[in-house]
Amino acid sequence: MWKVAMSDEVGKALQSVVDRVNQAAARRSKVLPALAPRLVAVSKTKPPEMVIEAYRQGQRNFGENYVNELVDKASNPEILQSCPDIKWHFIGHLQKNNVNKLLGVPNLFMVETVDSVKLADRVNSSWQRIRAANTQRLKIMVQINTSGEQSKHGLPPNETTNTVKHILSQCTALHLAGLMTIGHYGYDPSEGPNPDFQMLLSRRQEVCDTLKLPLEEMELSMGMSNDFEHAIEVGATSVRVGSVIFGNRDYPNSAANTPTPSPEKKSKVVSEETAKKMELLTVSEH
C-alpha cells in the first residue's frame, strides 16, 4: 500500500514539475540560448525506492549533496538493475580528500561544484587515473559564489574567467559544461530579476567573450525548488529540484546520522534563538 501511494505521489509531483519547467522555458526571452532546461531531481535523504520510481516515470538526472550518500545510492543493487541509464550529478561541496571516492561512483555524469583551480587539478588527475581505460572526459561545472556570503562555497566572481581558462588548457580529462551558483535563499522574484542569477549570466558572457567560446555551449545551473521557474525564465539551462518532487527531507533523528548544518543554517538557528531570548526579556521587562 505504501509503495502504491508513494508511486502515485512521486509520479504526480514529477509531472507537475516537468510541466512547470516547460512553461517557464516558453516564457524565456528569445535572446537567450534556446537550450531545453535540464531537470536534476535532488534525492538527498530519500530512499532508493523513490529514485527508482522517479526513473520509472521518465526522470534520468538525479543530484546528491553528500559523497557518502551518493556512493551508497549509486551502488545500490536495485538502482543499478532498475536504472541503467541514470545520470548522477554531484551538487554539494567537494573536499579534496573525497575526490577519489566520488569519481568511483557508477554512472557519475557531472560534478557541478568545482570551486578552485586546485580542486579542478585534483579531479582531473584522479579521473585520468581511475578511469584510465575510459577516454570520455568528465563533465564539470565551475561553482561561483555570486552572493558573496562566507557561508557559501564557490569562486569569487572575478576569478571565473581565469579558472575556466586554466581548466580548458590544463585539465584535459575534464569537459567544462558550464557555471553553477546557489545564491541567496528566499529571494522574492517579484522584486525583479534575482541579482545572483544576473551575476552568473554576466560571468558567462565575460568568459565567452574573453575566451571566444560559444555562448550556447556554456550551461548555467541555477535555481532550486523555491525559484526554479524564475531561474529558467532568466536563463538557467539546468535546475536542481528536490522537495517539490520528493517531499520534505527526512533527516534521521540520530545526531550521528544527521548532516552537520551549514554555517548559514547554524547562524540562522542562533539568530532565532537570540530573537526568542530578546522577546522573553522584553516581556519580562513590561
Side-chain angles (χ1 to χ4, degrees):
M1 189 68 183
W2 177 79
K3 285 190 176 182
V4 172
M6 179 197 71
S7 173
D8 191 49
E9 290 175 9
V10 170
K12 287 181 179 178
L14 179 60
Q15 187 56 55
S16 174
V17 171
V18 169
D19 290 343
R20 290 167 64 187
V21 166
N22 292 334
Q23 289 162 12
R27 295 191 296 268
R28 193 164 48 191
S29 169
K30 302 306 178 186
V31 302
L32 293 167
L35 293 173
R38 176 196 296 114
L39 171 62
V40 177
V42 182
S43 48
K44 181 169 71 172
T45 80
K46 297 301 177 180
E49 291 84 0
M50 294 187 92
V51 172
I52 293 170
E53 181 54 35
Y55 183 95
R56 194 180 73 81
Q57 298 287 342
Q59 180 64 24
R60 291 295 179 268
N61 292 278
F62 292 82
E64 287 290 338
N65 291 68
Y66 302 106
V67 172
N68 288 340
E69 186 172 2
L70 176 53
V71 169
D72 290 344
K73 277 188 189 156
S75 305
N76 180 278
E78 293 183 1
I79 288 181
L80 286 171
Q81 180 178 356
S82 304
C83 312
D85 298 321
I86 197 168
K87 298 176 180 178
W88 289 109
H89 295 241
F90 184 70
I91 59 174
H93 178 55
L94 178 58
Q95 297 177 320
K96 294 185 186 70
N97 61 339
N98 280 329
V99 168
N100 288 342
K101 184 185 293 186
L102 173 64
L103 299 193
V105 164
N107 297 309
L108 179 66
F109 180 73
M110 186 183 296
V111 178
E112 295 197 15
T113 49
V114 173
D115 60 3
S116 71
V117 165
K118 288 184 178 179
L119 181 59
D121 287 341
R122 176 70 65 87
V123 172
N124 181 67
S125 61
S126 294
W127 186 253
Q128 287 176 324
R129 184 175 63 256
I130 294 172
R131 305 291 175 95
N134 184 357
T135 57
Q136 185 173 358
R137 294 183 294 164
L138 174 67
K139 291 183 175 66
I140 66 156
M141 287 189 173
V142 172
Q143 182 179 2
I144 311 300
N145 185 350
T146 54
S147 62
E149 296 168 273
Q150 290 186 350
S151 59
K152 295 280 196 326
H153 296 286
L155 278 173
N158 61 2
E159 295 181 17
T160 305
T161 299
N162 285 338
T163 301
V164 168
K165 184 178 181 180
H166 174 88
I167 291 171
L168 293 175
S169 62
Q170 303 299 320
C171 301
T172 56
L174 305 182
H175 171 74
L176 180 69
L179 308 178
M180 176 266 208
T181 193
I182 295 175
H184 276 103
Y185 291 116
Y187 178 79
D188 183 1
S190 68
E191 298 179 3
N194 188 322
D196 291 315
F197 297 166
Q198 295 302 304
M199 173 66 77
L200 202 65
L201 282 160
S202 68
R203 292 304 97 187
R204 177 176 68 174
Q205 190 69 54
E206 178 190 273
V207 165
C208 292
D209 287 347
T210 304
L211 303 179
K212 303 295 188 272
L213 302 173
L215 196 70
E216 63 275 9
E217 293 181 11
M218 186 69 66
E219 293 191 44
L220 296 179
S221 175
M222 57 189 192
M224 297 182 284
S225 285
N226 64 328
D227 59 5
F228 70 90
E229 289 162 295
H230 173 61
I232 290 171
E233 289 174 18
V234 300
T237 63
S238 185
V239 291
R240 311 176 300 271
V241 182
S243 57
V244 178
I245 298 172
F246 297 113
N248 293 329
R249 301 214 165 95
D250 306 315
Y251 291 112
N253 292 326
S254 168
N257 293 325
T258 303
T260 304
S262 67
E264 180 183 52
K265 291 181 179 178
K266 283 182 179 179
S267 63
K268 183 178 179 182
V269 171
V270 171
S271 298
E272 289 175 352
E273 289 177 350
T274 302
K276 287 178 181 178
K277 289 178 181 178
M278 291 298 292
E279 184 179 354
L280 289 173
L281 182 60
T282 303
V283 170
S284 67
E285 289 176 345
H286 287 283

